[in-house]
Amino acid sequence: MPLQGLLVADAVSRIQKYEIDPLLGTPVGQIVGRMNEVRSVRAVFDDLTRGFEQAVDRVNRIAGRSGK
């Protein structure tokens, strides 16, 4: 997989140059099977930020430091 871009670079370049609609697009990968709702970018980043803050608080508690 890491070298897949090199393998298809010429073809992708021509597809984009000539705007071959059926072939344009970006693959979403295996996670697509777990997608079940439409969410805004803001909602996704809010969840990521909240999760990061919770993780930092847990690490601080484990390390014996105050969270705030």
Side-chain angles (χ1 to χ4, degrees), residues 24-64:
L24 286 171
T26 304
V28 296
Q30 295 174 351
I31 191 66
V32 72
R34 297 188 59 190
M35 294 178 168
N36 56 12
E37 66 180 305
V38 175
R39 296 175 59 204
S40 69
V41 173
R42 173 173 279 172
V44 172
F45 270 85
D46 286 347
D47 285 349
L48 289 170
T49 303
R50 194 169 19 265
F52 174 76
E53 290 170 345
Q54 291 170 351
V56 168
D57 287 343
R58 277 194 308 270
V59 168
N60 283 333
R61 281 195 308 273
I62 291 168

Side-chain angles (χ1 to χ4, degrees), residues 1-15:
M1 288 302 287
L3 299 177
Q4 183 175 359
L6 293 174
L7 179 66
V8 299
D10 290 337
V12 170
S13 177
R14 288 190 300 271
I15 289 167

